[in-house]
Amino acid sequence: MSRKVALLIGNSTYGPGLPPLEKPDADIAALAKVLADPAIGGFDDVKPLLDANSDKTRREVARFFSGRSPDDLLLLYFSGHGLRNDRGGLYLAVQDTEAELLSGTAVPAAFISEEMDNCRSRRQILILDCCYSGAFERGAKGPAANPATAFRGNGLGRFVLTASDSMQLAWEDVAASSTGGLSVFTRHLVRGLESGEADLNGDGLISVDELYDYVYARVVEENPRQTPGKSTSKQQGEIFLARNPAGPKLRPLPAELMQALDHPLATVREGAVRELRRFLRGSDAGMAKSARKALEEARDDDSRRVAKVAAEILAAAFPVPADTAPLSESASESQPAPLTESVEGLSSAPSPTPSAEGSLQHVGQKSTRMSWIALAIFVVLATVALLISQANKHRGGEVEETPAVLPEPSPAGSPEPSPALSAETPAQPDATMTLLAEAKSWPLVVADNFDSAETSASGLPSNLNHDDKLGTRIGRISSGVLRLSFTPKTKKGGFSPVTGTSATTAADFYVRIDLSKSQGPERADAGLMFRANPDGVQHYVFLIRQQAYFLAAHKKSWHVLRYWTPSPAIRPGQTNSLAVVAIGSHLTLFINDQQVDQVSDATFSSGRMGPSVESHGIEPVTFDFDNFELRRKP
């Protein structure tokens, strides 16, 4: 399990030759507070180290980078004097540093850089709030030491943020212009995190890049002589340092949906309210926040039915503690309406009843059946369904989404908690279980437990390695699993499907595979590709990540059939079994033998099967696949 840890080093008192400083103690206290705050930084461990000598500082730095896992987030911060020797080498001055004996009494940048190189973590952040004191400027023989490049090193995923891009400003000059007890650089650093103002794109998360851009603009505005610097080494996608304590900013919902929410017919408003549930559970945190606000407003709708549906959706997503009194007595009068949705994306209202021919029968008030009203409502509902379906396609667009697709669970007390997911397994209709049992009895075409180094027998290509402009994929079979690693080459990330051989071609079929993630950020996803053409350009994909699944067809562009939808059938952090039963245009999706969705789509009628992995951003991802199975319908 990954951890977030920080070591904050500060030095205010020095020996002869170096003036004392007033700011480091306050800098470290303020930064430690915001990093440890569960609503902001959420760090598991924040350790201050004040006025320590060089021996202790080196030991603590070495211990800090030792024994870390690849997914750990490490933050090392220093506030104090930065010095350089007569050859331009950079040193961090500590309590016993002697200006004439830097190599033996200070902490060299080369030492810290080497420790970072040797560390397994691929998420390392170094923040330096120090400037050159001027003591060696005239005697320097080597080039001026840039604090960012001095720590560049050879490690993966390293960010270096510095108070200035050169060593020309005296620390006291910078501190003198600061107010509020902190240095200019650290004060804006803390302010950006504490207020959430550094969340520049409003997604509710603060990345290192966003924090740097925020601090740079404010430091330069306040003190034009000081220009913060940033350096990255083999950056592996975005690193999210903290949450915005105010939560994500509101993002507008589709105009068609907003119009439906204001429609004069209550039945249309009810359908729109049900559609809000998709946005509430979706991966766009800003839209989820807007959906919650719209649902809260719909709770006061003139129609009791619309208000009741809105209240039920909110209650399911944000349960009220048991010791809290109910908002109204009417909520307990009847059981909540089922929250099922139609294939087109518009939830069917409980009052209309579909007939065998697909028409709607509407029961009027006072027991009067008025067929012309039923026809009018049917036309309106069909129009709204079409509009919302188009909005869904526009909303889903492409698989490559904006950052923090699945927001991390909000901490206790956060103003915008993530929608709760039920831990209960949904009951399976008899028809579904019959379909699954029948599909598992179809003739077996391909079965592989990946217990041998040869993959051709499984219907997958013998060479799983692939390299193109989007990224590099490496496939290996070891320890009874197929391990697929993908390293994107673009900041948007990339999708890497494994196109099966002709042996995996089928029209009507049952296909299954087990998968688990062994490396990569939370937003990494993987799953099944099916009905693909030989080069894999056209295909369906059924993907999962964390607690949500996704279904789309790709033909020149992505056609999203199911946007990221949470499901209690998914076991986060464990091995999950994905299966698809395809009969004609009807696709039934299963996760861990539980049906999660049914979709009708006739984009592709036949094709090959195979696993796929995807990364959002340039951080590498690795998934382990096992028990690949394909059965054809006789």
Side-chain angles (χ1 to χ4, degrees), residues 5 12 26 28 40 142 171 209 225 254 300 313 319 415 426 437 446 480-481 504 511 573 586 599 613:
V5 292
S12 300
I28 285 183
I40 305 175
W171 204 98
D209 286 320
R225 294 180 300 164
D300 298 325
I313 294 174
V446 172
V481 298
T504 64
V511 64
H586 192 72
V599 176
V613 295

Side-chain angles (χ1 to χ4, degrees), residues 153-172:
N154 299 312
L156 294 172
R158 180 180 306 178
F159 284 79
V160 181
L161 306 184
T162 60
S164 65
D165 65 356
S166 70
M167 299 295 285
Q168 297 176 347
L169 292 176
W171 204 98
E172 285 298 317

Side-chain angles (χ1 to χ4, degrees), residues 266-267 270 274 305 337 348-354 360-363 377 381:
T267 309
E270 181 184 348
R274 292 182 181 277
R305 188 178 191 86
S348 57
S351 55
T353 303
L360 295 177
Q361 299 174 347
H362 180 71
V363 181
I377 291 177
L381 284 175

Side-chain angles (χ1 to χ4, degrees), residues 326-406:
L327 295 176
S328 65
E329 297 179 359
S330 61
S332 61
E333 292 176 0
S334 61
Q335 296 295 321
L339 298 179
T340 55
E341 300 155 24
S342 69
V343 171
E344 292 78 9
L346 177 64
S347 300
S348 57
S351 55
T353 303
S355 68
E357 294 75 24
S359 63
L360 295 177
Q361 299 174 347
H362 180 71
V363 181
Q365 293 180 348
K366 299 181 181 180
S367 302
T368 303
R369 298 180 179 272
M370 304 175 66
S371 59
W372 63 271
I373 294 181
L375 178 61
I377 291 177
F378 173 75
V379 172
V380 172
L381 284 175
T383 303
V384 173
L386 177 61
L387 292 173
I388 294 178
S389 177
Q390 292 174 345
N392 285 340
K393 295 177 183 179
H394 177 71
R395 177 187 70 209
E398 300 181 354
V399 172
E400 298 168 347
E401 315 114 358
T402 55
V405 176
L406 284 176

Side-chain angles (χ1 to χ4, degrees), residues 245-248 250 285 288-289 292 296 318 408-411 413-419:
L250 291 172
K289 189 172 183 178
R292 181 178 183 179
E296 290 171 346
F318 309 103
E408 297 180 17
S410 300
S414 177
E416 293 295 336
S418 299

